[in-house]
């Protein structure tokens, strides 16, 4: 079957972002052999066999994940104290990699951790059992099943020292370097259980030259943001809206700070390169939004204008090396690299 390179992924995401279709599926997936999550589904069975399996899986994850994440992503975690200082929490994460659950499990070490996701991810057989034992909680389409999930999450928090992770953007966009709108579901659970929300943002940085020699395109930094608590004076609806808005602002600001966007000019509809060039004073935001996203053409035009002294970067904000990286290396992807290629699925 055809393969999708990271460059093609970026172009696809850019087009959807312009249309504000942020929850459009772009990632290959299959619901073949999936378990039906209905009113009879047991999220965390209260049996001796399941508890033993859960203890074994959790032990394996604690032992293996730090090494795996170091080798695969050279993972760096910032702001660990922001999570250590809370007992229970709803953790919201951006969803930007097929394997970001590995990162999210490690980030939550020190707490009992559970992670939510699409029900089609729970397959029949050993893989599905491993996921469930690891604390995976499927979000079902069945109303009764979701009611049971509500009760299960409340039970989890009643035991204390628990973190339940939600991908509030809903769908995964591979190696995406902008924020996307957060949906309300995660904040409903925070208000219902009176626990804070902690935003953790998976961010991508340029690998060391040694890792680049081995074909690594991007490494990962996770930033754990300060906890945001429900306000006792607000109603349930007001608190959900407050937490959603406050968490979105923290998310947007974190992305802008890390990637060098101008928060006051930042726009989700722009590509990462466009947001960087807006921050550098190299392009006009409104003109960019009025055109179709095309980073290759944009880079060529900006390079030409810089060479002709028609525009000058803001050197007080970005140094010469960072500008050169964005102009020359932004799309340094191999078209058919095995690491970047994914099976194509119609969207």
């Amino acid at each position: 079957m055809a393969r999708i390179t990271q460059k093609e992924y970026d172009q696809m995401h850019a087009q959807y972002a312009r249309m504000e279709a942020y929850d459009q599926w772009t990632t290959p997936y299959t619901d073949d052999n999936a378990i039906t999550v209905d009113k009879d589904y047991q999220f965390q069975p209260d049996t001796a066999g399941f508890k033993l399996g859960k203890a074994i899986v959790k032990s394996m994850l604690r032992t293996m994940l730090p090494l795996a994440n170091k080798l695969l992503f050279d993972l760096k975690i910032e702001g660990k104290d922001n999570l250590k200082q809370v007992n229970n929490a709803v953790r919201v994460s951006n969803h930007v990699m097929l394997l970001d659950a590995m990162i999210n499990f490690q980030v939550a070490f020190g707490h009992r951790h559970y992670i939510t996701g699409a029900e089609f991810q729970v397959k029949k057989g050993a893989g599905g059992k491993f996921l469930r034992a690891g604390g995976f909680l499927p979000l079902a389409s069945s109303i009764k099943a979701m009611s049971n999930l509500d009760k299960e999450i409340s039970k989890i928090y009643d035991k204390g020292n628990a973190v339940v992770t939600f991908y509030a953007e809903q769908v995964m966009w591979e190696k995406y370097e902008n924020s996307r709108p957060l949906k309300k579901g995660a904040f409903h659970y925070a208000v219902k259980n009176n626990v804070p929300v902690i935003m953790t943002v998976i961010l991508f940085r340029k690998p060391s030259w040694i890792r680049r020699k081995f074909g690594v395109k991007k490494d990962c930094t996770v930033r754990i943001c300060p906890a945001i608590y429900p306000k006792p004076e607000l109603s349930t609806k007001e608190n959900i809206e407050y937490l959603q808005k406050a968490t979105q602002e923290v998310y947007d600001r974190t992305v802008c700070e890390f990637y060098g966007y101008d928060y006051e000019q930042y726009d989700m509809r722009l590509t990462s390169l466009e947001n960087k060039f807006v921050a550098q004073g190299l392009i006009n935001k409104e003109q960019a939004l009025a055109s179709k996203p095309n980073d290759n053409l944009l880079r060529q035009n900006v390079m030409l204008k810089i060479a002709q002294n028609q525009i000058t970067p803001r050197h007080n904000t970005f140094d010469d090396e960072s500008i050169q990286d964005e102009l020359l290396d932004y799309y340094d992807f191999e078209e058919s690299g095995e690491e970047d290629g994914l099976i194509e699925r119609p969207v």
Side-chain angles (χ1 to χ4, degrees):
M1 296 179 67
R3 294 268 176 180
I4 302 177
T5 66
Q6 185 60 50
K7 180 177 179 180
E8 291 169 332
Y9 256 121
D10 291 342
Q11 292 169 342
M12 189 187 310
H13 295 152
Q15 292 168 357
Y16 285 136
R18 276 289 203 275
M19 298 185 293
E20 300 183 63
Y22 300 106
D23 56 359
Q24 174 67 52
W25 280 98
T26 64
T27 310
Y29 75 91
T30 176
D31 53 11
D32 294 344
N33 205 36
I35 291 175
T36 301
V37 181
D38 56 18
K39 62 182 180 63
D40 297 320
Y41 180 83
Q42 291 184 304
F43 290 91
Q44 295 285 284
D46 190 21
T47 64
F50 180 79
K51 290 178 180 178
L52 175 61
K54 184 176 179 177
I56 293 173
V57 169
K58 293 285 188 178
S59 177
M60 290 173 58
L61 291 173
R62 283 192 293 268
T63 303
M64 298 169 58
L65 283 184
L67 176 59
N69 287 331
K70 184 66 177 177
L71 291 174
L72 290 173
F73 314 118
D74 191 24
L75 181 63
K76 296 181 180 179
I77 303 175
E78 301 175 353
K80 292 181 181 180
D81 287 345
N82 290 326
L83 190 55
K84 288 180 179 178
Q85 292 170 358
V86 303
N87 179 17
N88 293 325
V90 161
R91 186 162 66 103
V92 173
S93 171
N94 57 334
H95 200 5
V96 288
M97 286 194 304
L98 287 171
L99 299 178
D100 54 21
M102 292 173 52
I103 291 174
N104 280 320
F105 272 110
Q106 182 177 338
V107 170
F109 281 176
H111 287 78
R112 295 185 305 112
H113 181 234
Y114 300 83
I115 189 166
T116 63
E119 60 182 321
F120 65 77
Q121 293 177 275
V122 185
K123 308 292 186 182
K124 298 175 183 177
K129 292 179 181 178
F130 185 90
L131 270 181
R132 187 187 293 193
F136 185 80
L137 304 173
L139 300 170
S141 54
S142 162
I143 295 176
K144 180 59 178 176
M146 286 303 294
S147 175
N148 291 339
L149 177 61
D150 271 23
K151 296 174 184 177
E152 187 68 40
I153 290 177
S154 294
K155 285 168 55 180
I156 288 169
Y157 285 131
D158 286 343
K159 294 180 181 179
N161 193 41
V163 168
V164 180
T165 295
F166 290 83
Y167 291 116
E169 295 165 325
Q170 186 172 314
V171 299
M172 195 271 282
W173 281 14
E174 182 76 11
K175 294 184 175 65
Y176 193 61
E177 295 187 359
N178 279 352
S179 59
R180 286 181 286 155
L182 302 174
K183 298 184 181 296
K184 290 184 178 180
F187 310 105
H188 155 80
Y189 290 102
V191 174
K192 179 179 180 179
N193 296 284
N194 194 30
V195 299
V197 174
I198 292 183
M199 184 75 210
T200 58
V201 189
I202 299 173
L203 304 153
F204 298 103
R205 66 180 192 276
K206 191 173 183 177
S208 66
W209 69 270
I210 295 178
R211 288 177 61 79
R212 292 201 300 273
K213 290 292 185 182
F214 284 94
V216 177
K217 305 299 182 182
K218 295 182 181 182
D219 278 330
C220 294
T221 296
V222 174
R223 188 165 295 178
I224 306 173
C225 303
I228 304 172
Y229 289 82
K231 294 185 175 182
E233 69 272 17
L234 298 181
S235 67
T236 296
K237 180 180 178 181
E238 290 171 337
N239 250 323
I240 291 174
E241 292 174 350
Y242 160 69
L243 289 175
Q244 182 186 28
K245 182 178 180 180
T247 306
Q248 185 74 58
E249 181 178 353
V250 167
Y251 181 20
D252 294 346
R253 287 187 180 277
T254 301
V255 166
C256 289
E257 179 183 337
F258 188 87
Y259 292 121
Y261 309 151
D262 180 346
Y263 179 74
E264 299 302 324
Q265 292 285 315
Y266 173 65
D267 196 304
M268 292 183 191
R269 295 170 294 175
L270 297 175
T271 68
S272 175
L273 185 64
E274 288 171 335
N275 272 310
K276 290 177 181 179
F277 282 0
V278 167
Q280 294 170 10
L282 298 173
I283 63 173
N284 177 274
K285 171 183 172 179
E286 299 305 324
Q287 290 178 349
L289 286 171
S291 62
K292 293 182 179 181
N294 187 328
D295 282 350
N296 286 332
L297 181 60
L298 172 64
R299 186 182 304 100
Q300 293 171 12
N301 290 338
V302 169
M303 290 179 68
L304 179 61
K305 289 182 179 180
I306 290 177
Q308 295 176 343
N309 294 320
Q310 295 181 27
I311 54 176
T312 303
R314 294 170 181 164
H315 295 280
N316 60 327
T317 305
F318 295 84
D319 57 29
D320 289 336
E321 183 179 354
S322 70
I323 293 172
Q324 185 178 6
D325 285 346
E326 297 307 329
L327 290 173
L328 301 180
D329 299 333
Y330 188 79
Y331 269 135
D332 186 21
F333 299 106
E334 294 181 8
E335 289 294 334
S336 59
E338 183 68 23
E339 184 179 64
D340 292 326
L342 291 168
I343 304 266
E344 184 174 7
R345 178 184 176 92
V347 295

